[in-house]
C-alpha cells in the first residue's frame, strides 16, 4: 500500500511541473533562452550603476544572504527533484550517476559560501570558472532540451548557472574583490581534483558521465563534437580551459589598463585646470 502511494506520487512529479517534459520543449536562441541571459546582464549593469548605494546600505549583508540562499535553493532543488522524478533515464535508475561532481554544482556551492563569508579564495576560484566554463551552459543549455518554462527544471537550471556569475560580479562591485593572475592556480587545482574524481566515478559507475567525459550529452552541445575517448576529451578540455583563462585575463588586464589610463587622464586634466585657475 505504502509503496503504491510512493509510486503514484513519483509518477505525478514525472509527468507534471517537476517532470522531464518532451523532446524539443526548449528551443535554442528563443525568447525563453535569451530572457535569463538578458536578466543576468541587466542585474550586473544595475549593480554596477548603484554599487555605492548598495555598498553603503545598512542591510547589504542581508542582500548577500538572500542571494546565497537562492543559489543554494536552486542547487539543492536539482537533487530534491531527482528524489521525486527519478533520473529521467530508462537505462539507468541509480542516482549514483547524479552525484554533485559537475563544475557548475561546485561553483554554485562556492558562490554561496563566498557570499556568506566573503571568502576571497572562493572568489578566486569562481571568478575564473564562472566567466569561462560557466558561460557555456547559458549559451548551449543542452541538458534542459526537454524542459522549457513549463517545468521547474528550466528555472532551476538557469538559477543554478546564472546566479553564481552574478555573485562574482556582486563581490567585485560591492566588496571590491579583484581578479589576479597570481591566483589562477586555485581554479586549476580545483579542476584537476574534480577531473580525477570524475574519471574514477565514470570508470566505476555504469552510466556515469561526470564532467561530460564519458559520452555526449542528450541535447545539442559543444561537447558532442569531441572524441568519445575520455582521456582525449580531458586533454581537449584542459587546452580549452587554459586558452580561455588566458583570454579572460587578457581582457581583464586590457579593461583595467583602459580604466586606469582614463583615471590618470582625468586627474591630470583636473590638476591642469586648478593651475590655470
Amino acid at each position: 500500500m505504502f509503496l503504491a502511494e510512493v509510486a503514484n506520487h513519483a509518477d505525478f512529479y514525472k509527468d507534471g511541473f517537476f517532470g522531464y517534459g518532451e523532446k524539443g520543449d526548449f528551443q535554442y536562441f528563443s525568447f525563453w533562452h535569451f530572457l535569463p541571459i538578458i536578466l543576468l546582464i541587466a542585474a550586473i549593469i544595475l549593480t554596477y550603476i548603484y554599487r555605492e548605494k548598495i555598498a553603503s546600505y545598512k542591510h547589504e549583508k542581508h542582500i548577500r544572504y538572500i542571494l546565497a540562499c537562492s543559489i543554494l535553493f536552486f542547487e539543492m532543488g536539482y537533487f530534491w527533484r531527482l528524489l521525486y522524478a527519478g533520473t529521467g533515464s530508462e537505462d539507468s535508475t541509480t542516482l549514483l550517476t547524479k552525484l554533485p561532481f559537475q563544475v557548475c554544482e561546485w561553483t554554485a556551492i562556492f558562490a554561496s559560501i563566498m557570499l556568506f563569508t566573503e571568502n576571497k579564495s572562493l572568489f578566486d576560484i569562481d571568478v575564473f570558472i564562472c566567466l569561462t566554463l560557466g558561460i557555456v551552459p547559458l549559451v548551449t543549455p543542452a541538458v534542459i532540451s526537454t524542459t522549457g518554462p513549463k517545468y521547474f527544471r528550466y528555472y532551476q537550471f538557469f538559477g543554478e548557472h546564472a546566479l553564481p556569475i552574478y555573485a562574482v560580479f556582486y563581490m567585485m562591485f560591492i566588496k571590491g574583490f579583484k581578479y589576479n593572475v597570481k591566483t589562477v592556480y586555485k581554479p586549476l587545482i580545483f579542476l584537476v581534483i574534480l577531473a580525477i574524481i570524475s574519471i574514477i566515478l565514470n570508470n566505476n559507475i555504469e552510466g556515469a558521465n561526470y564532467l561530460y567525459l564519458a559520452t555526449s550529452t542528450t541535447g545539442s552541445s559543444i561537447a558532442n563534437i569531441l572524441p568519445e575517448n575520455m582521456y582525449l576529451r580531458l586533454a581537449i578540455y584542459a587546452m580549452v580551459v587554459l586558452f580561455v583563462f588566458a583570454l579572460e585575463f587578457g581582457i581583464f588586464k586590457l579593461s583595467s589598463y583602459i580604466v586606469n589610463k582614463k583615471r590618470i587622464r582625468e586627474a591630470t586634466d583636473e590638476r591642469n585646470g586648478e593651475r590655470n585657475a
Side-chain angles (χ1 to χ4, degrees), residues 3 26 45 50 73 86 96 133 135 209 221 237 252 264 274:
L3 292 177
F26 177 83
I45 293 173
Y50 295 104
F73 168 78
L96 289 176
L133 299 176
I135 293 175
N209 188 24
S221 170
Y237 282 158
F252 282 167
I264 292 171
E274 291 176 353

Side-chain angles (χ1 to χ4, degrees), residues 231-249:
Y231 299 99
L232 277 177
R233 280 189 171 222
L234 183 60
I236 294 172
Y237 282 158
M239 288 187 290
V240 170
V241 167
L242 289 173
F243 171 76
V244 176
F245 275 12
L247 179 63
E248 177 185 284
F249 185 74

Side-chain angles (χ1 to χ4, degrees), residues 14 20 28 63 69 126 129-130 159 170-171 183 185 189 263:
K14 288 178 183 178
Y20 283 90
Y28 276 14
I63 297 176
C69 289
D126 267 16
I129 295 178
C130 283
Y170 184 93
M171 297 305 284
T183 63
Y185 71 91
I189 290 174
R263 288 175 179 172

Side-chain angles (χ1 to χ4, degrees), residues 41-250:
I41 294 171
I44 292 171
I45 293 173
L46 289 173
T47 302
Y48 178 78
I49 293 173
Y50 295 104
R51 62 190 183 281
E52 293 180 0
K53 290 185 178 180
I54 297 174
S56 60
Y57 180 50
K58 64 178 181 179
H59 296 301
E60 182 276 328
K61 179 175 67 175
H62 296 152
I63 297 176
R64 281 189 290 109
Y65 287 2
I66 292 172
L67 179 58
C69 289
S70 299
I71 295 173
L72 284 178
F73 168 78
F74 286 116
E75 172 59 22
M76 292 305 301
Y78 174 73
F79 299 100
W80 293 331
R81 172 177 169 271
L82 287 175
L83 294 176
Y84 286 103
T87 63
S89 172
E90 296 179 357
D91 300 325
S92 176
T93 58
T94 175
L95 292 181
L96 289 176
T97 61
K98 304 293 185 179
L99 297 174
F101 288 105
Q102 301 286 21
V103 171
C104 58
E105 293 166 346
W106 277 101
T107 52
I109 294 170
F110 287 161
S112 296
I113 300 173
M114 172 189 70
L115 289 165
F116 276 122
T117 64
E118 300 183 40
N119 187 294
K120 181 63 166 59
S121 291
L122 295 180
F123 170 83
D124 292 336
I125 293 174
D126 267 16
V127 70
F128 283 97
I129 295 178
C130 283
L131 302 186
T132 54
L133 299 176
I135 293 175
V136 175
L138 297 181
V139 178
T140 57
V143 294
I144 61 166
S145 60
T146 62
T147 51
K150 296 182 294 184
Y151 297 94
F152 172 77
R153 175 64 168 141
Y154 168 86
Y155 303 97
Q156 182 276 321
F157 175 87
F158 280 109
E160 180 186 23
H161 290 82
L163 289 182
I165 295 175
Y166 173 74
V168 164
F169 281 100
Y170 184 93
M171 297 305 284
M172 281 196 287
F173 298 155
I174 307 304
K175 292 298 177 180
F177 283 10
K178 299 183 183 299
Y179 47 83
N180 193 324
V181 72
K182 295 179 181 178
T183 63
V184 74
Y185 71 91
K186 295 179 183 179
L188 290 177
I189 290 174
F190 162 70
L191 290 174
V192 168
I193 294 172
L194 195 59
I196 293 171
I197 295 173
S198 297
I199 289 172
I200 294 172
L201 293 175
N202 289 342
N203 284 329
N204 289 277
I205 300 176
E206 185 178 356
N209 188 24
Y210 293 104
L211 296 190
Y212 305 109
L213 291 173
T215 186
S216 299
T217 58
T218 53
S220 299
S221 170
I222 297 173
N224 292 354
I225 66 174
L226 300 179
E228 290 294 325
N229 183 279
M230 185 187 306
Y231 299 99
L232 277 177
R233 280 189 171 222
L234 183 60
I236 294 172
Y237 282 158
M239 288 187 290
V240 170
V241 167
L242 289 173
F243 171 76
V244 176
F245 275 12
L247 179 63
E248 177 185 284
F249 185 74

